[in-house]
Amino acid sequence: MSLAASPSPHPVDGRCPAGEDPAKRRQILEGARRAFVRMGFDAASMNDVTRESGVSKSTLYVYFRSKEELFAALIDQERDRYFSEVEALLVETEHPADTLTRFGTRLAEIVLCAEAMHAKRTVIAVASRMPQLGRDFYRHGPQRGHALLTAYLDRACEARTLRIEDTAMAAAQFIELATAGLLRRRFFDDQAPDPTPDEIRQVVASGVRLFMAGYGVEA
């Protein structure tokens, strides 16, 4: 068979293949984000997304087949950014109180921000009719974050700077401590003010003190 008959896997004119232009994909996702925030996930339609993103409907469907796909892609985008940050924070084990303070502060900032709260409320609202979306949100988000923190606590125990029998349980406890008194208020009251940096620092500092009192190793 002639090699000349095989199509080239790369575009020869510098253009991306259909559905693979990163800039166009970002443009669509930003339009979807605006539509979902302004109108709500259920009320927003694919037509609304085309208007917000400034693309044709045919272009939109080349990239995303449904608004559920769009929503999942938006979550993935934010999740990747979040995990790249927190993985870099969970490294130093010599002084776990400092590491946990930095991690807990960033965790609270991300989890409590308006966009994250909107995403969580949306997932909960649609989970009964789209259970896979809820499962994926949990497995690739909270469950993955819990696993990262558990692995860090394991390393700190190996370094003998923490003493924990059940690191998975301790990781879950710390995540709750880092947002104690703030997350539920944000969940149930969409008019609750954003927590201030001082509020977050106070909650995290108190959580770290309690955590270290239970699991720290005395000098």
Side-chain angles (χ1 to χ4, degrees), residues 47-61:
N47 285 334
D48 296 315
V49 174
T50 61
R51 284 193 293 270
E52 288 286 347
S53 59
V55 301
S56 67
K57 184 175 284 190
S58 60
T59 297
L60 174 62
Y61 279 102

Side-chain angles (χ1 to χ4, degrees), residues 57-93:
K57 184 175 284 190
S58 60
T59 297
L60 174 62
Y61 279 102
V62 166
Y63 286 82
F64 300 99
R65 291 171 295 181
S66 67
K67 65 178 184 178
E68 289 78 17
E69 273 195 13
L70 275 163
F71 184 70
L74 281 170
I75 292 174
D76 288 343
Q77 186 181 68
E78 293 303 311
R79 182 186 296 133
D80 290 343
R81 181 178 63 84
Y82 162 70
F83 280 113
S84 67
E85 287 187 39
V86 298
E87 284 182 304
L89 293 175
L90 293 173
V91 176
E92 197 272 332
T93 58

Side-chain angles (χ1 to χ4, degrees), residues 58-193:
S58 60
T59 297
L60 174 62
Y61 279 102
V62 166
Y63 286 82
F64 300 99
R65 291 171 295 181
S66 67
K67 65 178 184 178
E68 289 78 17
E69 273 195 13
L70 275 163
F71 184 70
L74 281 170
I75 292 174
D76 288 343
Q77 186 181 68
E78 293 303 311
R79 182 186 296 133
D80 290 343
R81 181 178 63 84
Y82 162 70
F83 280 113
S84 67
E85 287 187 39
V86 298
E87 284 182 304
L89 293 175
L90 293 173
V91 176
E92 197 272 332
T93 58
E94 189 64 26
H95 302 97
D98 294 340
T99 299
L100 290 171
T101 297
R102 290 190 292 270
F103 168 76
T105 300
R106 192 65 188 120
L107 171 70
E109 290 171 346
I110 293 172
V111 167
L112 296 168
C113 76
E115 286 191 352
M117 294 307 304
H118 181 267
K120 286 190 280 286
R121 292 192 192 103
T122 300
V123 170
I124 291 171
V126 304
S128 61
R129 68 176 189 273
M130 289 184 285
Q132 190 60 47
L133 181 63
R135 285 191 290 268
D136 288 344
F137 182 88
Y138 177 74
R139 289 171 183 168
H140 301 301
Q143 189 175 63
R144 180 180 169 189
H146 175 262
L148 283 175
L149 182 55
T150 300
Y152 169 77
L153 297 180
D154 286 335
R155 295 194 300 273
C157 288
E158 291 171 3
R160 298 186 178 181
T161 52
L162 290 175
R163 185 184 295 113
I164 305 172
E165 291 184 5
D166 187 340
T167 53
M169 174 66 76
Q173 291 168 340
F174 183 79
I175 290 169
E176 295 293 326
L177 288 170
T179 59
L182 299 176
L183 182 58
R184 284 185 176 83
R185 182 181 69 183
R186 296 280 283 154
F187 251 129
F188 295 110
D189 183 359
D190 63 355
Q191 295 182 338

